């Protein structure tokens, strides 16, 4: 099955549904799975650690999406 969304798009959709546009890594991961928004090539859902890598500003991937996400230590992400 091919994804219709990229992971950063799925994260943004989850955060847009939150009143304060903020959620924990675990909550984002769980809701992406519940809504079937994104799967890894292996078919598994994105675990919280993959969400961290995609949103944390100290990672290569996170820097690429720093205009979308603010990482709040230790485990929350906010849509900017």
């Amino acid at each position: 099955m091919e994804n219709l969304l990229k992971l950063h798009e799925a994260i943004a959709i989850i955060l847009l549904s939150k009143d304060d546009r903020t959620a924990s890594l675990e909550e984002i991961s769980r809701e992406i799975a519940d809504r079937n928004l994104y799967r890894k090539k292996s078919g598994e859902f994105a675990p919280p650690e993959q969400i961290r890598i995609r949103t944390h500003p100290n990672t290569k991937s996170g820097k690429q999406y720093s205009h979308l996400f603010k990482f709040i230590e230790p485990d929350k992400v906010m849509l900017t």
Side-chain angles (χ1 to χ4, degrees), residues 27-74:
E27 185 178 2
I28 295 167
S29 177
R30 185 178 56 252
E31 288 196 33
I32 287 173
D34 289 348
R35 296 186 196 186
N36 199 23
L37 296 177
Y38 176 85
R39 287 181 185 251
K40 295 169 34 170
K41 289 180 183 178
S42 65
E44 298 172 8
F45 292 107
E49 186 56 32
Q50 189 175 3
I51 308 298
R52 176 186 301 277
I53 291 168
R54 192 60 53 97
T55 59
H56 199 284
N58 289 342
T59 65
K60 181 179 178 182
S61 180
K63 286 178 186 172
Q64 184 176 354
Y65 299 107
S66 63
H67 64 288
L68 293 175
F69 306 114
K70 177 180 179 185
F71 194 88
I72 303 166
E73 296 291 349

